Amino acid sequence: MAVQKILTYPDPRLRTLCEPVLEFDKNLETLIEDMADTMYDAPGIGLAAIQINVPKRVIVMDLSETKSQLQVFVNPEIVDLNQGTREVEEGCLSVPGFFVPVKRPEKVLIKAQDKLGDHFELEADEMTAVCIQHEVDHLNGKVFVDYLSRMKRERIRNKLTKARGDFESRVA
Ligand code: NI
């Protein structure tokens, strides 16, 4: 069990283009365990490795009520199945306290590898489709506030920067 610190927007490290995983080894296993521990502890429903400052293309998700169905996606790719778009209110562990509507493709095909490197495909809709697209954005250095107008995004940035400043001046 190793809960890691989650990077918070506008931390520039969240802009990293993450590298594909080539070695399916013990290090990857440990990374996935840390990511799951961090996600469940937060608590959240999805986490990308870069959110704990590891620039690798790895995602964990758990959309179950009981938090007992961990999904792992290594080197995921998303194909839009062209079933229209849907707008859902999203949140993000790296943008705490903000929920904003984001419009995304409604149904997608996910192609990914599991923690052993085996390839699999999964058709996703509903929250699975929303969540995987949100997390794949993280792997490409994108944060969901990028879908907002510049004015709204800067309002969030200022609030979070101020909140962190307050926190740092309290603990320093
Ligand atoms: Ni996020």
Side-chain angles (χ1 to χ4, degrees):
M1 169 100 180
V3 173
Q4 304 291 328
K5 186 176 167 345
I6 297 176
L7 302 181
T8 309
Y9 177 82
D11 191 310
R13 289 171 288 184
L14 290 169
R15 295 309 187 185
T16 312
L17 176 62
C18 299
E19 298 286 331
V21 171
L22 303 176
E23 309 271 344
F24 292 80
D25 55 8
K26 180 76 184 126
N27 288 340
L28 177 65
E29 207 172 297
T30 304
L31 171 63
I32 290 167
E33 282 170 15
D34 286 356
M35 288 172 67
D37 290 343
T38 306
M39 175 182 73
Y40 288 127
D41 178 70
I45 58 171
L47 190 81
I50 189 60
Q51 291 179 275
I52 58 166
N53 197 26
V54 178
K56 295 274 183 192
R57 302 188 79 81
V58 183
I59 288 167
V60 294
M61 290 172 21
D62 190 339
L63 302 173
S64 68
E65 297 260 319
T66 51
K67 299 289 165 208
S68 57
Q69 289 170 40
L70 182 69
Q71 292 179 291
V72 177
F73 301 93
V74 181
N75 301 327
E77 286 173 43
I78 290 177
V79 182
D80 182 357
L81 293 175
N82 294 314
Q83 304 282 310
T85 57
R86 184 168 168 230
E87 194 172 68
V88 173
E89 200 161 80
E90 297 183 15
C92 179
L93 293 175
S94 292
V95 191
F98 292 90
F99 297 88
V100 297
V102 180
K103 194 187 282 185
R104 299 184 186 275
E106 178 148 19
K107 199 165 180 186
V108 295
L109 176 67
I110 307 166
K111 299 180 180 184
Q113 286 165 277
D114 65 17
K115 65 178 182 181
L116 301 175
D118 290 328
H119 291 263
F120 66 95
E121 292 190 1
L122 181 67
E123 270 191 28
D125 57 8
E126 307 275 320
M127 277 313 287
T128 308
V130 173
C131 196
I132 190 78
Q133 291 179 83
H134 175 115
E135 301 307 336
V136 169
D137 277 352
H138 277 300
L139 305 184
N140 296 323
K142 195 165 179 174
V143 181
F144 79 143
V145 294
D146 297 347
Y147 293 96
L148 294 172
S149 69
R150 189 173 158 185
M151 210 177 76
K152 285 184 184 164
R153 186 164 60 244
E154 292 198 339
R155 198 182 310 147
I156 291 177
R157 173 196 291 262
N158 290 339
K159 279 189 185 162
L160 286 174
T161 307
K162 184 174 181 299
R164 187 162 6 162
D166 289 350
F167 178 70
E168 276 166 7
S169 59
R170 269 205 311 275
V171 295

